[in-house]
Amino acid sequence: YSKYCCLDNSSGAGCKSPVGGFQGCLRLITIGDKAVDPISVQQGALGRFRDLQIDSCGITDRCLPSYCEHGGACSQSWDTFSCDCLGTGYTGETCHSSLYEQSCEAHKHRGNPSGLYYIDADGSGPLGPFLVYCNMTDAAWTVVRHGGPDAVTVRGAPSGHPRSAVSFAYAAGAGQLRAAVSLAERCEQRLALRCGTARRPDSRDGTPLSWWVGRTNETHTYWGGSLPDAQKCTCGLEGNCIDSQYYCNCDAGRNEWASDTIVLSQKEHLPVTQIVMMDAGQPHSEAAYTLGPLLCHGDKSFWNSASFNTETSYLHFPAFHGELTADVCFFFKTTVSSGVFMENLGITDFIRIELRAPTEVTFSFDVGNGPCEVTVQSPTPFNDNRWHHVRAERNVKGASLQVDQLPQKMQPAPADGHVRLQLNSQLFIGGTAARQRGFLGCIRSLQLNGVALDLEERATVTPGVEPGCAGHCSTYGHLCRNGGRCREKRRGVACDCAFSAYDGPFCSNEISAYFQTGSSMTYHFQEHYTLSENSSSLVSSLHRDVTLTREMITLSFRTTQTPSLLLYVSSFYEEYLSVILANNGSLQIRYKLDRHQNPDAFAFDFKNMADGQLHQVKINREDAVVVVEVIPKIQNAKKQVILSSGTEFNAVKSLILGKVLEAAGADPDTRRAAASGFTGCLSAVRFGRAAPLKAALRPSGPSRVTVRGHVAPVTRCAAGAASGRSGPADEGEPLVNADRRDSAVIGGVIAVVIFILLCITAIAIRIYQQRKLRKENESKVSKKEEC
């Protein structure tokens, strides 16, 4: 190890190098043509030296063995090493921590929409991440597609020979698939089978003629959701096969095509890796099948939790083995100011994670170099009864601790110190071996080096600890957007979009429709009653529940038409609210809350809003105060006005989007806009709790919506909504699959026309044949008689 070496008798100052000295080993040194003997330098006969080992090379290979995990590339300097984790899917000093969530369930509760994601089912374990499709519905479905054919056609072959043997490969390896399936709460794979003139599973002696192979290379002869070896399809389990003598439709052997939908749900056997079909000597038999992707949902570890009810309660597990690398991650929720989350002791070594103060989480340990601590401090308390995520890691390079999204704190390990963590006692969760400073609250999703601990199973047999933990909405309720409400589930949360103008798992999916010229959609708040002039008391009794002193209105639109009627709300008392675009494209609002007074008219000169761009309007009324806001934000995009015509909107009758056929008692500008209607795209329309577009396009009960003209659902107003296609819905009828009904009507008309033409052709041919025969038999009759 050399800083520098001088071979002349100059002063020390003359030997100093302007750059850092070389670190490494040199041999066979020559200056000019003369060899330099290092021993002479060591003996002082030639030059002098400092920090130099003579006649040996003291380089330590710090990359053998390599402490870099998951394929990280190791490089070193003289006294340390580093790991390059680029492209491995992992991060950290030793490439130990995964960059990806362990499941689609975890992705969902980060607020991620449906899409392609990498998941790492064993976290920091040895298995790598792989790509899946996460379908975010009420449940988070993991979709793993195979690389086999989309459809397989099987035709007859000589008896005993395989008709078809098709293998199915997946992008993930067997270990990755096993980890993902084991982590899920439920998995299934669907097989759609169509067959003609063939019995499917057995030969005459009962030998199975078809089977499938699972991920462990075991052969299975059962089909559908039945138990293994039951050899029943789904129709056999439900008792609705086309022939009651058989347990599968394809067993009937009829001279016609039959079909079976088979759901394989024994997840320990999934996914399917091969399907084999033999033949029983029916040369003209034929079948076709399609194997769907592997579908899994749920994450057994993500919601696995325990509630600690006393300071002396704890769970214990076998000792934690993390000699060179140890990582611990979990969620906690509490209202107390301190407590120990976990502790594991050795003879002198230990590891401990605790809430030391309301704003401090501390990770402490000792591997033989003396106690070491890493602390994360928060500007807000952790004991707020919300879930907080903790991740602690210790390796040969040092230790790190991160809580939630706060900055990660790190502590480097001492150079050439002890590196092995030796633990030999039980692992305590929620308490300590001394039964002091125990934790009060909830812990969930606890993982050690990527291995999940089953807290719920251990809690069921431990006094003072209960399995499960309620109160997830306080943490995940923000995922429910646009007026959606968070609903507690035993394992997680769900968003109730009943009173939102959006739908989807987070109430964030836009519900939009394209209105063609002259079309309209009417939402009925209540049934219409025919009333006499002297029945005001009856009116009050019938409609008092729809009298409003406040309302929140939101809608998004995109149009180039002026004037336009964006929204019109009427009442049985000739009161109304209209939102229109004037001839110059400005936004105008009319409130008439007293039929004996003129309406309040307000013009908002934000900009020309009939510019073909998407605009969102929010109107919030509290008594006589109306606040109007336009998004995207523009100059002075929020204004407040005061009503003079009243504060109560009485006997609200209906809300109309598009053209209004009757606007009795409305002002001239509203009538002109109502006659013009609306041509363009509307989305996320909401009036209080009423969402007319959602009621029409996503009906969940008796319809309150009537549609006239062409109204077509589109994905989003901002994404080429003008290309929406739809024929006219039946006038006065609720919109239900308008596209299909219009197609059916058009198809029916075409069929009738073709039928009439065929009939006319047949009649003409028949008349021609009869006239020709008459001419042959009456050839002697005069032309006049023939005529």
Side-chain angles (χ1 to χ4, degrees):
Y1 173 75
S2 175
K3 287 294 185 183
Y4 54 83
C5 178
C6 293
L7 300 181
D8 56 21
N9 294 321
S10 60
S11 64
C15 290
K16 290 183 178 179
S17 170
V19 296
F22 169 73
Q23 293 179 334
C25 297
L26 296 176
R27 67 189 183 93
L28 299 178
I29 302 172
T30 60
I31 299 178
D33 295 332
K34 184 178 181 180
V36 176
D37 183 7
I39 301 299
S40 300
V41 177
Q42 185 182 34
Q43 294 173 350
L46 179 64
R48 62 185 181 277
F49 70 96
R50 189 180 74 182
D51 297 334
L52 190 69
Q53 295 179 8
I54 303 297
D55 209 22
S56 68
C57 185
I59 292 180
T60 300
D61 190 345
R62 301 183 183 275
C63 288
L64 189 66
S66 175
Y67 294 112
C68 301
E69 302 179 45
H70 300 109
C74 180
S75 59
Q76 73 171 75
S77 64
W78 185 268
D79 52 6
T80 188
F81 74 93
S82 61
C83 299
D84 183 2
C85 307
L86 184 65
T88 64
Y90 296 84
T91 187
E93 293 286 345
T94 60
C95 308
H96 177 75
S97 303
S98 180
L99 290 170
Y100 305 106
E101 301 291 346
Q102 66 182 10
S103 66
C104 288
E105 183 79 9
H107 276 292
K108 177 181 178 181
H109 285 83
R110 281 189 171 273
N112 295 327
S114 298
L116 291 170
Y117 296 96
Y118 280 96
I119 62 171
D120 196 335
D122 72 336
S124 58
L127 301 173
F130 61 99
L131 190 64
V132 301
Y133 182 82
C134 294
N135 186 18
M136 307 303 187
T137 59
D138 291 339
W141 286 92
T142 302
V143 183
V144 185
R145 302 190 181 278
H146 58 74
D150 293 333
V152 179
T153 301
V154 184
R155 292 181 173 84
S159 177
H161 288 72
R163 301 166 67 189
S164 172
V166 179
S167 298
F168 300 89
Y170 299 80
Q176 295 168 316
L177 291 171
R178 180 174 59 252
V181 170
S182 300
L183 190 65
E185 294 180 354
R186 173 183 169 81
C187 291
E188 64 181 45
Q189 200 162 7
R190 293 177 177 268
L191 181 70
L193 176 64
R194 296 185 69 248
C195 52
T197 64
R199 292 186 56 185
R200 182 194 48 77
D202 300 334
S203 62
R204 294 179 180 177
D205 61 0
T207 303
L209 293 178
S210 62
W211 60 87
W212 58 278
V213 180
R215 71 165 184 267
T216 59
N217 290 325
E218 294 182 354
T219 298
H220 305 285
T221 59
Y222 72 93
W223 300 92
S226 60
L227 296 175
D229 298 324
Q231 299 187 24
K232 292 183 180 180
C233 294
T234 305
C235 74
L237 294 174
E238 298 176 352
N240 57 6
C241 294
I242 59 176
D243 191 329
S244 59
Q245 300 180 47
Y246 300 100
Y247 297 119
C248 289
N249 289 325
C250 287
D251 289 356
R254 296 185 177 184
N255 191 23
E256 61 183 22
W257 282 93
S259 62
D260 281 311
T261 300
I262 298 171
V263 180
L264 303 172
S265 57
Q266 297 291 325
K267 73 173 192 174
E268 61 271 18
H269 298 157
L270 297 176
V272 177
T273 60
Q274 188 181 46
I275 296 178
V276 178
M277 288 191 176
M278 306 290 287
D279 200 296
Q282 292 177 294
H284 300 294
S285 61
E286 186 175 358
Y289 66 84
T290 300
L291 178 67
L294 174 67
L295 304 174
C296 296
H297 75 79
D299 183 336
K300 293 191 296 184
S301 69
F302 190 75
W303 297 109
N304 190 290
S305 60
S307 301
F308 298 83
N309 302 322
T310 67
E311 289 188 1
T312 58
S313 61
Y314 61 86
L315 299 177
H316 61 84
F317 294 88
F320 178 30
H321 296 290
E323 287 80 3
L324 296 177
T325 302
D327 81 88
V328 182
C329 59
F330 60 91
F331 292 87
F332 77 90
K333 181 162 71 83
T334 186
T335 57
V336 300
S337 59
S338 63
V340 176
F341 300 124
M342 64 160 289
E343 180 184 83
N344 204 170
L345 305 178
I347 298 175
T348 58
D349 296 358
F350 73 90
I351 183 173
R352 183 184 301 115
I353 305 176
E354 61 184 308
L355 178 67
R356 182 165 291 180
T359 59
E360 291 185 6
V361 173
T362 299
F363 173 36
S364 55
F365 60 92
D366 188 352
V367 294
N369 303 315
C372 181
E373 289 186 352
V374 185
T375 299
V376 169
Q377 293 184 325
S378 171
T380 57
F382 290 122
N383 59 342
D384 57 358
N385 204 28
R386 296 165 60 92
W387 287 113
H388 298 279
H389 186 253
V390 177
R391 178 175 179 81
E393 180 181 345
R394 190 216 70 87
N395 54 53
V396 298
K397 295 278 289 182
S400 64
L401 176 66
Q402 185 168 22
V403 184
D404 297 334
Q405 301 302 315
L406 295 170
Q408 185 183 57
K409 297 295 183 179
M410 304 186 69
Q411 179 71 42
D416 299 321
H418 295 284
V419 297
R420 292 188 176 273
L421 177 65
Q422 304 288 342
L423 305 174
N424 53 21
S425 69
Q426 288 184 324
L427 167 66
F428 287 82
I429 303 299
T432 65
R435 298 192 178 185
Q436 297 177 351
R437 298 184 295 132
F439 172 72
L440 286 173
C442 296
I443 296 176
R444 73 173 175 90
S445 191
L446 175 61
Q447 296 186 359
L448 308 180
N449 279 349
V451 178
L453 300 187
D454 194 342
L455 301 177
E456 293 181 350
E457 181 183 44
R458 191 61 59 94
T460 56
V461 295
T462 305
V465 186
E466 295 181 358
C469 189
H472 304 305
C473 280
S474 60
T475 303
Y476 298 105
H478 70 281
L479 296 177
C480 301
R481 303 164 192 162
N482 302 304
R485 296 184 177 183
C486 182
R487 304 294 187 191
E488 290 282 345
K489 296 168 58 179
R490 178 181 174 271
R491 303 178 72 85
V493 299
C495 294
D496 182 359
C497 307
F499 301 118
S500 172
Y502 295 74
D503 67 357
F506 307 119
C507 307
S508 58
N509 293 350
E510 180 181 302
I511 299 179
S512 308
Y514 183 77
F515 287 70
Q516 294 188 13
T517 303
S519 59
S520 68
M521 179 181 292
T522 303
Y523 180 90
H524 303 278
F525 289 96
Q526 54 189 323
E527 295 296 332
H528 175 70
Y529 296 91
T530 303
L531 304 171
S532 64
E533 295 180 357
N534 298 320
S535 57
S536 58
S537 60
L538 178 59
V539 172
S540 178
S541 64
L542 287 173
H543 307 307
R544 62 179 179 269
D545 58 327
V546 201
T547 295
L548 306 175
T549 60
R550 65 181 65 182
E551 62 266 350
M552 170 68 80
I553 307 164
T554 60
L555 63 91
S556 297
F557 67 92
R558 181 178 171 214
T559 187
T560 57
Q561 173 188 315
T562 59
S564 286
L565 180 70
L566 301 180
L567 178 143
Y568 182 80
V569 182
S570 64
S571 84
F572 288 96
Y573 284 161
E574 296 184 3
E575 300 173 357
Y576 68 89
L577 159 66
S578 65
V579 182
I580 67 176
L581 293 183
N583 289 327
N584 61 358
S586 65
L587 179 69
Q588 297 189 7
I589 296 177
R590 306 288 200 274
Y591 262 105
K592 185 176 181 180
L593 302 186
D594 187 339
R595 58 179 172 177
H596 301 297
Q597 295 186 24
N598 293 326
D600 292 302
F602 305 102
F604 302 91
D605 297 326
F606 295 131
K607 58 175 289 189
N608 178 11
M609 302 180 71
D611 56 359
Q613 301 298 315
L614 183 67
H615 301 281
Q616 183 182 25
V617 177
K618 293 183 177 180
I619 303 172
N620 186 18
R621 181 178 74 92
E622 292 277 351
D623 294 324
V625 179
V626 180
V627 178
V628 179
E629 184 178 5
V630 173
I631 301 174
K633 301 290 186 182
I634 54 180
Q635 187 177 8
N636 299 322
K638 187 173 183 180
K639 292 187 178 181
Q640 178 177 303
V641 295
I642 306 296
L643 301 180
S644 61
S645 63
T647 60
E648 291 187 349
F649 201 167
N650 298 291
V652 177
K653 175 184 176 183
S654 61
L655 182 152
I656 303 176
L657 305 174
K659 187 172 183 177
V660 179
L661 298 180
E662 295 182 3
D667 61 278
D669 289 337
T670 297
R671 289 199 301 271
R672 279 192 293 271
S676 177
F678 177 83
T679 302
C681 188
L682 285 171
S683 71
V685 179
R686 181 180 175 186
F687 182 89
R689 291 188 171 185
L693 290 179
K694 186 176 183 180
L697 303 177
R698 308 282 194 277
S700 59
S703 179
R704 290 171 168 247
V705 181
T706 301
V707 175
R708 298 177 183 274
H710 300 255
V711 178
V714 294
T715 304
R716 294 178 64 231
C717 276
S723 63
R725 301 182 306 274
S726 177
D730 293 340
E731 284 199 3
E733 294 294 326
L735 176 67
V736 181
N737 295 330
D739 287 338
R740 293 185 180 180
R741 182 167 62 248
D742 298 338
S743 299
V745 172
I746 295 171
V749 171
I750 294 174
V752 170
V753 171
I754 292 175
F755 178 75
I756 293 174
L757 291 175
L758 290 175
C759 290
I760 292 174
T761 304
I763 292 171
I765 293 174
R766 182 63 176 170
I767 292 174
Y768 173 76
Q769 291 175 342
Q770 290 179 349
R771 291 186 63 182
K772 183 178 180 181
L773 181 62
R774 188 182 302 117
K775 287 181 179 180
E776 292 177 353
N777 294 333
E778 301 177 3
S779 57
K780 297 181 180 180
V781 180
S782 64
K783 290 184 179 181
K784 182 176 180 180
E785 291 175 340
E786 289 177 0
C787 293

